Amino acid sequence: MALSFAGNGTITGLSVGGLPDGCIQSADLASGTGGKCLQFLQFNYSANTSSSSTSWVDTPLVIAITPTASTSKIWLTWNINVSGSLNTVGLALQATQNGSAIHIADADGSLHRVTTQIRPKSYDQYEFTTLTDSFLTGAVGSTSAQTFKLQWKRHWGSTAMYLNRTEDQGSSDRPVGVSTISVMEISA
Amino acid sequence: MDICSAILAINPSAQVSVNAEGTENEKITWHNGTAEISKADIQAKQAELKTAYDNAKYQRDRAGAYPSIADQLDDLYHNGIDGWKATIKATKDKYPK
């Protein structure tokens, strides 16, 4: 069918897929098309981890996403099972994007800036505390891969902290768990 | 006993992470200049800690079986020190050393 331009402002005869790839971008679309999920990735970590580090170190909860548009935002969520030791230990968590802390408290003197923190009590070595959080980034600004990590450190105490396991595994009623980190690309 | 606890028992200042313990992907990462400890030394300490843990089973059993402090105070009030001691002895007898 021949392409025709009518005097009433309409175009007829344009085939599906008839426009060159990329000639219409998300920013060109009418309002109301933003906020859609463009892609979703999830990583489940079902092994265990323990640490005694007093500086930020990576947990195995790491995920990378390559945005399809620089204007997109990334919705980050996680759900992790942590546990302390017989002796109380302070466990701090922070999220990072490409190596920089995100979703972290404002500076407040010398106080310890974290995304979240728990201090399991004695006898909490038998059970999990589940930490869940989410965060929407700003526009990513590029279509390069964005790497998100959960880091943790022991900020108080002298014993170990645990992910997906408890310190005490001396009885079959002790749990082992799975932790999850997810990212969703949200259109502008 | 887990590797991290064994390492801390050898070196209380150790900065270490252990991933996937007990699997073929097990990996120990030493942080902040912590001197590495040999696998043999870690395993020896794990065995030592496990023995101590197993020997203390009666303590864990008793701890879970004793009445709450509130109930023990109530026991003391109503039954006196001998009544309270009898209550506690029942748990000690149930879980001997």
Side-chain angles (χ1 to χ4, degrees):
Chain A
M1 180 185 291
L3 191 64
S4 63
F5 295 82
N8 63 2
T10 61
I11 301 173
T12 57
L14 182 63
S15 303
V16 173
L19 293 174
D21 288 347
C23 74
I24 296 177
Q25 304 205 336
S26 59
D28 302 323
L29 299 174
S31 62
T33 59
K36 303 294 190 296
C37 175
L38 301 180
Q39 57 174 321
F40 176 81
L41 300 172
Q42 185 175 64
F43 172 61
N44 295 313
Y45 182 71
S46 56
N48 61 72
T49 295
S50 55
S51 182
S52 63
S53 178
T54 57
S55 59
W56 293 116
V57 294
D58 295 344
T59 71
L61 277 298
V62 177
I63 195 166
I65 185 171
T66 302
T68 58
S70 62
T71 53
S72 294
K73 300 176 180 180
I74 306 297
W75 178 248
L76 169 69
T77 63
W78 66 86
N79 185 87
I80 64 170
N81 298 304
V82 296
S83 182
S85 301
L86 175 61
N87 297 308
T88 303
V89 62
L91 185 162
L93 192 75
Q94 77 170 9
T96 66
Q97 178 181 4
N98 295 336
S100 299
I102 57 172
H103 193 31
I104 197 167
D106 294 339
D108 188 354
S110 62
L111 296 182
H112 191 205
R113 299 176 67 199
V114 302
T115 297
T116 190
Q117 177 270 353
I118 61 163
R119 189 178 288 195
K121 301 295 187 292
S122 294
Y123 293 106
D124 280 356
Q125 83 270 27
Y126 299 137
E127 61 192 29
F128 289 142
T129 297
T130 301
L131 301 176
T132 299
D133 206 343
S134 57
F135 178 66
L136 181 65
T137 71
V140 287
S142 83
T143 53
S144 300
Q146 304 290 309
T147 300
F148 295 88
K149 297 179 178 180
L150 292 185
Q151 297 182 320
W152 63 346
K153 70 176 177 180
R154 186 185 73 195
H155 73 96
W156 192 89
S158 58
T159 51
M161 51 193 186
Y162 299 87
L163 177 75
N164 286 348
R165 60 162 288 170
T166 56
E167 178 198 35
D168 188 319
Q169 293 192 313
S171 173
S172 60
D173 63 353
R174 307 291 188 251
V176 288
V178 59
S179 296
T180 301
I181 185 170
S182 307
V183 284
M184 189 185 300
E185 181 184 358
I186 306 294
S187 63
Chain B
M1 300 305 290
D2 63 282
I3 291 173
C4 202
S5 292
I7 290 170
L8 288 171
I10 296 170
N11 175 8
S13 301
Q15 308 272 308
V16 64
S17 294
V18 183
N19 282 356
E21 180 171 342
T23 75
E24 62 183 14
N25 298 318
E26 181 177 290
K27 182 181 180 186
I28 301 176
T29 305
W30 304 90
H31 306 295
N32 302 324
T34 297
E36 290 190 24
I37 298 170
S38 73
K39 192 73 177 177
D41 286 349
I42 294 170
Q43 289 172 339
K45 181 58 72 173
Q46 283 183 281
E48 178 187 324
L49 292 174
K50 184 174 188 314
T51 298
Y53 176 86
D54 291 344
N55 289 342
K57 183 177 188 307
Y58 76 94
Q59 293 177 339
R60 294 190 299 276
D61 291 340
R62 287 178 177 180
Y66 286 136
S68 69
I69 294 297
D71 285 344
Q72 290 190 45
L73 288 171
D74 195 54
D75 193 9
L76 271 172
Y77 177 81
H78 289 289
N79 304 312
I81 191 75
D82 289 337
W84 170 77
K85 287 175 74 172
T87 300
I88 297 301
K89 187 174 186 304
T91 296
K92 289 184 181 295
D93 289 345
K94 183 176 180 181
Y95 300 109
K97 288 184 180 178

